[in-house]
Amino acid sequence: MGAGTLLAIAAGAIVLLLVLIIQFRVHAFIALVVVSLITAFVAGLPSGAVLDVLTDGFGSTLASVALLVGFGAMLGRLVEVSGGAQTLSDAMIAKFGEERAPLALGIAALIFGFPIFFDAGLVVMLPIVFSVARRLGGGVLRYGLPVAGAFSCMHAFVPPHPGPVASAELLGADIGILTIVGLIVAIPTWFLAGYLYGIWSGSKFVLKVPDFLSGGEREEDMAEPPKPSTVILLLLLPLAIIFVNTGLDAARAAGAVDGEAGWFQFLRAICATPIALLIAVLVASYVLGVRRGLDKLRVESLLDSALAPVCAIILITGAGGMFGGVLKATGIGDALADTLAGVGLPLIVSGFVIALALRVAQGSATVALITAAGLIQPAIQAEGITGFPLAAIVVALASGSLALSHVNDSGFWLVGRFMDMDVKTTLKTWTVMETLIGVIGFAFACLLYVAFGG
């Protein structure tokens, strides 16, 4: 099929999905699977390959999300029911004041987000976000959006996250310079698009705090709530383990260590994000449960009860990945990128537009960033761009890969369901915030590109 036909199919699929969910109130999981199936057939995928494409997209998304959400929900339940989330939120409010609580949470997310991937950081921070929101009021988005925006900025712009690292390797950008440029762009971009917009959007859309992590009242037979320092250490534990992993990746990319060595592979496995969260759950079960007088059967019951409320989140997120996988397999993203590559825009603008188009077409920010980098690689090499201008181009690509997050992005469903938003509200809040992050980040990248002589 021609590019125009494929793009029309993609647009029709997105419209159909929104109509099913918003107008006819079809459950998001069912709607995503149905539209993915219809799109696969209409776009001309061989009938024998349709089921494989659907299950591959679903399974690959669940492989990265299900364990994180499951273990994150368990950890959150223990922190919440033990009273740890309340004590930590009280300490933060006492330290920073009620008015600056969203700023404090966002800055904490920026720090945590340096080594930690978006999904993992979000699920670890949620119990604290929910507790602060319950304590101070004003709705969950006032506190949740600045946190989600912080993790999104760090994940997209700053090494050692996979998108920036992979695109830097493709284009030959220096990781150290990219880290500097990424931070220069990420921090003010978050403040404008994540924090200030998050505060405004949270006041416009006042949503109650979800209760799926709370598990009811704090256990009466437990000792006094844990100290804030204990909770901080428990939350830092998986982040510290993951940091070892991302540090190893950065060292391998820089050529400092042998990525094929046995010790390297062992540490990579032990420090992987799901294993890090598993370790944190085991430690928290003892520190917040058994050691504080809670019966072991009760700990098991609490962990079990944490899973049921997040099953819908896991399935809907997986179905979002399925839809994105179908759009990718049909060649819609490639057709759009090829069409835009010959437009003749300035290189930094062309890269941004291609990454944005890929983001809209297939959903994944990381895939959009890496694919766009591969498409503009010959032009980068031909013009001999290096140093800070090249790092600015990488950040411009990252900006394009963030904007216009919508129904084919698994992160859209993850954030929307965690914050207990319907599709309309998620489009009006999360999608707008991600688009602002992308546009503002691109503007800063262009300024740096010009300032450094690009």
Side-chain angles (χ1 to χ4, degrees):
M1 294 185 182
T5 303
L6 287 174
L7 296 180
I9 291 172
I14 293 168
V15 170
L16 175 60
L17 182 60
L18 293 175
V19 169
L20 287 176
I21 295 173
I22 296 173
Q23 182 67 31
F24 293 100
R25 310 302 297 177
V26 177
H27 191 280
F29 175 63
I30 296 175
L32 281 163
V33 175
V34 169
V35 173
S36 297
L37 183 63
I38 293 173
T39 304
F41 282 119
V42 173
L45 285 181
S47 298
V50 167
L51 185 60
D52 287 339
V53 171
L54 294 179
T55 54
D56 286 348
F58 185 75
S60 62
T61 303
L62 289 189
S64 62
V65 170
L67 290 175
L68 300 185
V69 174
F71 288 139
M74 288 179 169
L75 180 60
R77 180 64 57 87
L78 290 170
V79 170
E80 178 70 23
V81 173
S82 69
Q86 185 66 48
T87 58
L88 182 54
S89 64
D90 290 345
M92 290 184 65
I93 293 166
K95 180 72 173 178
F96 295 98
E98 294 186 2
E99 288 299 318
R100 290 192 294 272
L103 180 63
L105 288 169
I107 291 174
L110 284 174
I111 296 170
F112 287 167
F114 189 84
I116 308 305
F117 289 4
F118 174 82
D119 296 349
L122 187 62
V123 297
V124 169
M125 283 289 289
L126 276 178
I128 310 305
V129 170
F130 290 173
S131 180
V132 172
R134 287 193 193 97
R135 167 77 182 276
L136 299 182
V140 67
L141 296 185
R142 174 179 171 83
Y143 310 92
L145 287 179
V147 167
F151 282 120
S152 180
C153 286
M154 298 301 285
H155 188 88
F157 294 137
V158 183
H161 294 288
V165 169
S167 56
E169 290 182 349
L170 277 170
L171 299 179
D174 181 89
I175 291 292
I177 295 176
L178 179 58
T179 301
I180 295 170
V181 173
L183 287 172
I184 291 173
V185 172
I187 293 172
T189 298
W190 165 77
F191 184 79
L192 294 172
Y195 173 64
L196 293 181
Y197 171 77
I199 292 292
W200 178 86
S201 182
S203 66
K204 185 174 176 63
F205 301 94
V206 181
L207 305 179
K208 68 181 182 66
V209 182
D211 58 4
F212 57 79
L213 290 183
S214 63
E217 297 294 327
R218 190 172 68 84
E219 295 292 321
E220 294 182 358
D221 55 342
M222 295 181 71
E224 289 298 314
K227 297 178 181 178
S229 59
T230 301
V231 180
I232 291 173
L233 289 174
L234 284 173
L235 296 180
L236 286 176
L237 175 61
L239 306 183
I241 295 172
I242 296 167
F243 181 72
V244 173
N245 212 357
T246 51
L248 289 171
D249 278 344
R252 177 199 55 78
V257 298
D258 179 9
E260 301 300 321
W263 67 268
F264 181 91
Q265 297 294 334
F266 176 77
L267 282 180
R268 287 270 292 125
I270 294 298
C271 298
T273 301
I275 306 303
L277 284 170
L278 170 61
I279 293 171
V281 170
L282 293 174
V283 173
S285 298
Y286 174 74
V287 173
L288 299 180
V290 176
R291 196 180 73 172
R292 306 188 69 79
L294 198 60
D295 182 81
K296 294 177 182 178
L297 292 177
R298 179 57 181 151
V299 173
E300 180 189 7
S301 176
L302 283 172
L303 296 178
D304 182 64
S305 66
L307 295 178
V310 299
C311 282
I313 295 174
I314 293 171
L315 289 175
I316 292 170
T317 303
M322 175 192 294
F323 184 43
V326 168
L327 294 179
K328 182 180 178 182
T330 56
I332 290 170
D334 292 339
L336 190 55
D338 290 343
T339 301
L340 293 171
V343 172
L345 295 170
L347 190 54
I348 190 169
V349 178
S350 177
F352 170 80
V353 173
I354 291 172
L356 174 60
L358 289 168
R359 163 71 151 176
V360 172
Q362 54 78 46
S364 169
T366 300
V367 171
L369 173 55
I370 295 172
T371 305
L375 289 171
I376 70 167
Q377 182 186 35
I380 294 288
Q381 293 175 341
E383 295 192 17
I385 302 174
T386 59
F388 281 92
L390 180 55
I393 289 177
V394 174
V395 172
L397 298 180
S399 300
S401 74
L402 278 184
L404 295 177
S405 167
H406 64 97
V407 291
N408 65 350
D409 175 19
S410 60
F412 174 92
W413 298 101
L414 191 68
V415 172
R417 294 297 155 166
F418 266 136
M419 304 294 176
D420 203 17
M421 294 187 282
D422 59 23
V423 172
K424 275 186 179 180
T425 308
T426 310
L427 287 168
K428 292 176 181 178
T429 56
W430 168 253
T431 300
V432 172
M433 183 180 73
E434 285 288 271
T435 303
L436 285 174
I437 290 173
V439 172
I440 294 172
F442 174 61
F444 280 125
C446 288
L447 289 175
L448 291 174
Y449 181 77
V450 172
F452 291 126

